[in-house]
Amino acid sequence: MVSGIVAYNQTKIAYQLGGQGNHFLLCFHGYGENAGSFAFLEKYLGDHFRILAIDLPFHGETDWQEADLELPGWNQVIELVLNACGYKPGNNLSLMGYSLGGRVVLQYYQDHPNKINKIILLAPDGLKVNFWYWLSTQTIPGNRLFQFTMRHPGIFLYFLRGLNRFKLINSSIYKFVNYYIGNPQVRIDLYRRWTTLRKIKPDLKRIAVQVKKESIPVTLIYGRHDRIILPHRGYRFQEAVGPTCSLHIIESGHQVLHEKHISALLPLLLP
């Protein structure tokens, strides 16, 4: 895949593009990752798709300089990248999102339901509102507490160790959170990323109505051993969306998007 940059105001949006197909596949990566997470797919899907992956704000090579992320501006960013990569109105366009990228995909589909041919969600965020994320990003007191905790994490880490000791959270969650809180730079990134992306909050009821109306195929893929994002969220969404939505569980943990799982993924990703 080749790398590129698109300017938006003072911001520089990084992306990667590969493949020779006539069908565009617009991809959004998971938390702490970048567009390169999708690079291995070019080898397997490049004859079918033009694979376009975008670095989210405060990820990868994207230099995000906006005061805030407003949805009209974010949608304009995506359009600028699509146009730079040769996308024309009327071209086939599918969406793929892994983890955090799933929430971004759902929001983009909600805003552009008539231009999307298919949605692929891998261990997606966005199908359930996490209470702590909501508190930290959608309320002023919660955001101030979040900011304080990121600057002074000792009390929170002590509390977290207690929850783990008494088995009130599973070990995967404990290790996941402890990693993101224990490192100062990682804490700064966490605060910036969560706060900046807080307005990407898809309306699942509205999306279900749109999917039914347009009969859009939706593919949900989960890892059987994932302890971060569980498939029961997907089953509820599948029930709401109806027969065009399929759910598949593969032998993996949360890292569903990995070349070692390509034999299970490929039949689900091909058009």
Side-chain angles (χ1 to χ4, degrees), residues 74-114:
W74 176 242
N75 285 326
Q76 186 178 349
V77 163
I78 296 175
E79 295 305 309
L80 287 172
V81 177
L82 282 168
N83 293 338
C85 294
Y87 174 81
K88 304 294 183 184
N91 287 155
N92 290 327
L93 179 62
S94 293
L95 302 176
M96 178 186 292
Y98 164 65
S99 197
L100 169 62
R103 177 155 58 96
V104 180
V105 160
L106 289 167
Q107 183 68 62
Y108 187 74
Y109 173 74
Q110 177 180 319
D111 297 338
H112 302 84
N114 297 321

Side-chain angles (χ1 to χ4, degrees), residues 7-8 19-20 33 71 78 127 166 178 188 249 260:
Y8 173 77
Q20 306 298 321
E33 300 190 354
L71 288 179
I78 296 175
L127 296 185
F166 291 102
N178 191 60
I188 293 172
I249 298 179
K260 66 184 178 181

Side-chain angles (χ1 to χ4, degrees), residues 18-211:
Q20 306 298 321
N22 296 320
H23 192 138
F24 272 78
L25 181 63
L26 177 60
C27 304
F28 296 97
H29 59 78
Y31 182 91
E33 300 190 354
N34 57 57
S37 300
F38 297 93
F40 75 94
L41 293 177
E42 182 179 16
K43 180 165 54 174
Y44 304 96
L45 300 177
D47 290 339
H48 303 276
F49 292 103
R50 291 274 284 172
I51 302 168
L52 170 60
I54 298 176
D55 282 346
L56 294 172
F58 299 107
H59 288 79
E61 298 301 317
T62 286
D63 182 15
W64 187 260
Q65 296 292 332
E66 307 305 302
D68 207 348
L69 184 150
E70 301 290 344
L71 288 179
W74 176 242
N75 285 326
Q76 186 178 349
V77 163
I78 296 175
E79 295 305 309
L80 287 172
V81 177
L82 282 168
N83 293 338
C85 294
Y87 174 81
K88 304 294 183 184
N91 287 155
N92 290 327
L93 179 62
S94 293
L95 302 176
M96 178 186 292
Y98 164 65
S99 197
L100 169 62
R103 177 155 58 96
V104 180
V105 160
L106 289 167
Q107 183 68 62
Y108 187 74
Y109 173 74
Q110 177 180 319
D111 297 338
H112 302 84
N114 297 321
K115 67 187 294 184
I116 306 304
N117 296 99
K118 184 176 181 179
I119 300 171
I120 302 168
L121 301 171
L122 302 98
D125 184 23
L127 296 185
K128 180 182 179 181
V129 178
N130 178 280
F131 172 77
W132 296 109
Y133 179 81
W134 172 84
L135 181 68
S136 300
T137 63
Q138 306 300 320
T139 70
I140 293 175
N143 188 254
R144 289 176 178 171
L145 177 61
F146 181 33
Q147 187 178 43
F148 177 83
T149 302
M150 294 301 98
R151 291 176 176 173
H152 311 280
I155 296 175
F156 178 78
L157 288 172
Y158 180 80
F159 176 67
L160 185 69
R161 283 193 291 270
L163 292 177
N164 183 61
R165 186 179 303 117
F166 291 102
K167 302 187 184 302
L168 296 177
I169 58 173
N170 70 57
S171 58
S172 295
I173 295 291
Y174 172 73
K175 292 176 183 177
F176 181 82
V177 175
N178 191 60
Y179 169 77
Y180 284 109
I181 301 299
N183 182 293
Q185 183 58 51
V186 172
R187 289 199 304 272
I188 293 172
D189 290 340
L190 177 64
Y191 180 79
R192 287 174 173 173
R193 291 164 177 171
W194 271 26
T195 302
T196 300
L197 297 173
R198 71 189 185 280
K199 293 183 180 178
I200 297 181
K201 44 183 182 179
D203 183 335
L204 297 182
K205 291 183 179 179
R206 179 177 169 186
I207 289 170
V209 170
Q210 290 172 175
V211 169

